Amino acid sequence: MNYAIIEISGRQFWIEPQKFYVINHLSLQPNTQVLLKRVLLLNENGEIEIGYPYLNSVTIDAMILNNFKGKKIIVYKMKPKKKYRRKNGYRSFLTTLYINSIN
């Protein structure tokens, strides 16, 4: 089983080839090829390589599929007995990423 741990959009992801991932928004157009270089760990057929902090010899070939808004989150603030109530909604921007291969 081949997998890698990468750092992208401020978070770390365990990724495998030919799988889809939803990450924080990347300001790139859909159907754009992306080369990810921030690889922290690589497991290839049981051989583990750990970067310090990144592996320079490993790249991830990925494709941006689409950008969309996530599910709405309701934020409600209230102070009892003071008639203070605030209701806000928030939808974060997300990106779907498809991993083609680990090189």
Side-chain angles (χ1 to χ4, degrees):
M1 180 173 151
N2 295 340
Y3 66 87
I5 297 176
I6 63 168
E7 180 183 328
I8 186 168
S9 68
R11 294 172 58 196
Q12 294 178 2
F13 290 92
W14 173 310
I15 61 162
E16 297 174 7
Q18 285 80 42
K19 292 205 175 181
F20 299 94
Y21 296 93
V22 176
I23 61 172
N24 290 338
H25 181 70
L26 294 177
S27 56
L28 297 172
Q29 296 297 321
N31 297 325
T32 304
Q33 293 284 58
V34 179
L35 196 63
L36 306 173
K37 295 182 180 179
R38 291 185 171 192
V39 180
L40 301 170
L41 182 137
L42 175 68
N43 182 357
E44 191 166 17
N45 300 325
E47 296 178 19
I48 296 177
E49 294 181 50
I50 299 174
Y52 188 74
Y54 305 116
L55 291 168
N56 296 327
S57 62
V58 180
T59 58
I60 309 293
D61 184 31
M63 176 182 271
I64 304 289
L65 293 182
N66 65 345
N67 297 319
F68 64 98
K69 281 187 169 183
K71 184 179 175 183
K72 181 175 267 192
I73 297 171
I74 302 298
V75 179
Y76 188 74
K77 297 179 181 180
M78 182 184 118
K79 292 186 181 176
K81 302 178 211 156
K82 302 296 180 192
K83 293 188 180 180
Y84 175 82
R85 284 149 178 77
R86 297 289 181 265
K87 182 178 177 183
N88 290 322
Y90 176 74
R91 292 180 71 184
S92 60
F93 290 100
L94 301 171
T95 298
T96 303
L97 190 69
Y98 177 73
I99 305 298
N100 292 327
S101 63
I102 299 174
N103 302 325

